[in-house]
Amino acid sequence: MASGGKGLLAGSFLRAAALGLVVLASAAPVARSWSKEGHMMTCQIAQGLLEPDAAHAVRNLLPEDVGGDLSALCVWPDQVRHWYKYRWTGPLHFIDTPDKACTFDYSRDCHGPDGAKDMCVAGAIANFTSQLLHYKHGSADRKYNLTEALLFLSHFMGDVHQPMHVGFTSDQGGNSIDLRWFRHKSNLHHVWDREIIQTALAEFYDKDMGTFRKQLEHNLTKGTWSDDVSSWGDCEDLLSCPTKYATESINLACKWAYSGVHGGETLSNDYFDSRLPIVSRRIAQGGVRLAMFLNRIFSQHNRDVAAPS
Ligand SMILES: *[C@@H]1O[C@H](CO)[C@@H](O)[C@H](O)[C@H]1NC(C)=O
Ligand SMILES: *[C@@H]1O[C@H](CO)[C@@H](O)[C@H](O)[C@H]1NC(C)=O
Ligand SMILES: *[C@@H]1O[C@H](CO)[C@@H](O)[C@H](O)[C@H]1NC(C)=O
């Protein structure tokens, strides 16, 4: 039994919560993750770029109650990470790298707190990608729950693009750098997880995530990034590309997140204005790359190879 509900909740409500359909008002604030909006926009951008085979597979794997909307469950891994059954997934949301090194080295850095190999966000993306590649083997006899694999892959593709999810070890990716965001207390990790996104939503988009997302999509297809986008999807080997994304993140973390910031200070307009374009680009990149992964995982070729129909 999941520990999250503590018997205060009726069974059906708990089940809905398990599927991420209900956000518990009492849930502890989540540390170390793109805000709900960051994850949802990444997943919506990705779903809009799916080719028919992948769109079909995603629809098949999602529980019926979400009506085919991947983004409705993209925050699910954050909702369950403190439950007993899913506690092992905690380390999969981030990577701790050596202080000030500003590099990511998979064999040095991708491990859990107890040293368990591959237990980091880059390892998790590879893990759930290889599980999903077995989707072609048909529905019977599955070793893994591929619905969960899809939700984990979609979530972690977002996380690996959040620069501060690949941060320094001693400050826990900025979590222990307390400061102020405009008038309220926050920390450097949270600024990158949610404050910048929330401030942008309030300032420019009337708190409407759909408008923000459409702007991102516009910039992908016709705007500032349209020349770059095709290179974002470059990837020879799906299982090793997460290393590239994590390396980009620690580089951005050093250049834009940590640089010049001291605990105790107040970050406001200057920081917001100069960092919002970075955050926006990472959300869009996560979406484009999640689509690329899903399109390749579920390509017709894969299905033909495996499943006689
Ligand atoms: C891969 O997923 C399985 C469960 O689906 C889990 O037992 C294993 O620890 C995971 N490894 C990583 C690196 O995510
Ligand atoms: C797969 O995981 C989802 C989400 O945890 C769960 O609702 C579903 O029942 C699981 N499916 C199987 C076959 O265990
Ligand atoms: C889209 O690009 C324009 C022009 O560079 C920029 O001003 C705007 O902030 C961008 N919007 C988003 C959401 O990235």
Side-chain angles (χ1 to χ4, degrees):
M1 191 66 202
S3 62
K6 300 273 195 297
L8 290 168
L9 304 159
S12 62
F13 188 73
L14 232 191
R15 201 186 131 265
L19 287 169
L21 304 176
V22 175
V23 179
L24 298 176
S26 62
V30 175
R32 296 192 161 206
S33 179
W34 267 143
S35 66
K36 174 167 144 260
E37 288 83 2
H39 279 293
M40 290 184 77
M41 289 190 286
T42 295
C43 284
Q44 286 165 349
I45 290 168
Q47 204 169 10
L49 296 170
L50 294 183
E51 287 154 16
D53 288 321
H56 184 77
V58 165
R59 229 167 212 288
N60 262 341
L61 287 172
L62 287 173
E64 275 186 16
D65 4 11
V66 296
D69 178 8
L70 176 62
S71 74
L73 291 178
C74 278
V75 286
W76 177 81
D78 277 336
Q79 293 166 331
V80 301
R81 64 189 285 186
H82 298 294
W83 295 12
Y84 182 73
K85 180 182 170 197
Y86 293 101
R87 223 164 266 170
W88 62 275
T89 63
L92 305 183
H93 292 256
F94 59 90
I95 296 166
D96 284 337
T97 63
D99 293 357
K100 310 269 181 344
C102 298
T103 55
F104 169 57
D105 176 331
Y106 189 96
S107 53
R108 180 190 64 193
D109 305 329
C110 190
H111 52 73
D114 54 358
K117 261 169 64 75
D118 303 322
M119 297 300 277
C120 82
V121 67
I125 292 171
N127 186 33
F128 295 111
T129 296
S130 37
Q131 290 185 17
L132 287 168
L133 284 165
H134 292 280
Y135 178 73
K136 62 191 181 185
H137 292 144
S139 58
D141 229 15
R142 280 184 187 155
K143 194 163 165 202
Y144 299 109
N145 182 327
L146 296 187
T147 297
E148 292 193 348
L150 171 68
L151 304 183
F152 282 128
L153 170 63
S154 302
H155 183 88
F156 295 139
M157 189 62 82
D159 279 346
V160 79
H161 282 84
Q162 204 280 56
M164 291 300 275
H165 276 238
V166 191
F168 300 155
T169 306
S170 67
D171 59 41
Q172 301 172 281
N175 269 294
S176 66
I177 303 180
D178 291 324
L179 39 71
R180 276 178 182 274
W181 179 251
F182 293 85
R183 288 156 179 275
H184 67 261
K185 286 186 182 168
S186 190
N187 68 53
L188 189 59
H189 188 88
H190 273 262
V191 165
W192 284 79
D193 263 355
R194 43 203 340 124
E195 311 287 15
I196 293 173
I197 296 173
Q198 299 296 346
T199 302
L201 280 167
E203 289 269 306
F204 306 131
Y205 303 108
D206 217 6
K207 302 201 175 164
D208 179 33
M209 185 178 64
T211 318
F212 193 169
R213 191 200 72 238
K214 283 190 194 111
Q215 271 291 322
L216 294 172
E217 288 172 336
H218 174 84
N219 281 2
L220 278 178
T221 52
K222 299 186 196 72
T224 18
W225 307 314
S226 52
D227 291 338
D228 291 356
V229 171
S230 61
S231 71
W232 293 357
D234 287 349
C235 171
E236 291 224 339
D237 167 24
L238 290 184
L239 301 185
S240 53
C241 288
T243 294
K244 181 168 91 178
Y245 311 154
T247 302
E248 291 168 356
S249 274
I250 184 63
N251 289 337
L252 291 169
C254 285
K255 186 165 177 201
W256 294 99
Y258 283 114
S259 81
V261 171
H262 303 285
E265 75 175 306
T266 298
L267 300 180
S268 55
N269 284 318
D270 287 347
Y271 198 88
F272 172 67
D273 291 341
S274 50
R275 273 58 170 190
L276 175 60
I278 313 289
V279 167
S280 299
R281 194 163 179 276
R282 291 305 271 172
I283 292 172
Q285 270 180 333
V288 166
R289 286 164 169 173
L290 175 57
M292 181 271 289
F293 265 63
L294 295 173
N295 283 332
R296 282 171 60 174
I297 288 168
F298 298 121
S299 68
Q300 181 68 45
H301 171 74
N302 274 342
R303 264 197 295 145
D304 284 348
V305 173
S309 54

